[in-house]
Amino acid sequence: MKPLHKKLIQGQLDATLARLACMRDVQRPARGWLRAVREALGMSGRQFAWRLGVSAPWITALEKKELAGAVTINTMRQAAEALDCVFVYAVIPRESLAAIVRRRAEALAAKRLARVSHSMLLEAQQLSDTEQQKAFAVEVEALMWEMPKELWDEL
């Protein structure tokens, strides 16, 4: 994929995810979302089971599976519908995607420039601090623009 397309996709996704940032700190209720919503609606497990088309013991198992993280996305979607709710699934970064890429680009740039600096030191051609900072900034920007596959390799 071309760098411009990568940047456009990243920017669009960052804008979408920014609207969800407030969800980052939302904690699941102690007894799970399904049970919390069901109880808040005043719905019994038997009534929920009827709406979902399953047996009452299956609801108990479902609510336990949710707590254990062992329920499928499709099942959560169906259960939410039975509660007249919408199931929302998202992966929300702790910071913007651009910031994550920048941090990784800085780490890779530092690694690359450390190798070059060592070689230049051995050849008595070391850059000044100002030149090193400029070279680092240029390398970071190039990595952020290109986003090469090696950006996410082990450093």
Side-chain angles (χ1 to χ4, degrees), residues 44-50 53-63:
S44 71
R46 184 187 52 74
Q47 292 165 326
F48 184 27
W50 177 80
V54 298
S55 66
W58 196 86
I59 294 299
T60 303
L62 171 63
E63 290 174 348

Side-chain angles (χ1 to χ4, degrees), residues 3 7 21 23-24 27 35 43 53 61 69 74 85 90 100 103 106-107 113 127 132 137 140 147:
K7 283 292 174 196
M23 301 297 295
R24 208 177 280 134
Q27 297 294 314
R35 186 166 179 178
M43 187 184 299
N74 193 47
C85 295
I100 293 170
R103 193 170 7 90
E106 288 171 348
L113 293 176
L127 299 174
Q132 285 180 9
V140 167
M147 287 198 291

Side-chain angles (χ1 to χ4, degrees), residues 81-102:
E81 287 294 323
L83 293 168
D84 288 326
C85 295
V86 176
F87 178 71
V88 178
Y89 173 85
V91 175
I92 304 171
R94 290 182 182 88
E95 56 187 335
S96 72
L97 297 173
I100 293 170
V101 170
R102 174 172 288 283

Side-chain angles (χ1 to χ4, degrees), residues 118-130:
H118 181 70
S119 296
M120 292 177 79
L121 176 64
L122 294 174
E123 296 170 7
Q125 298 175 353
Q126 190 172 17
L127 299 174
S128 70
D129 287 345
T130 303

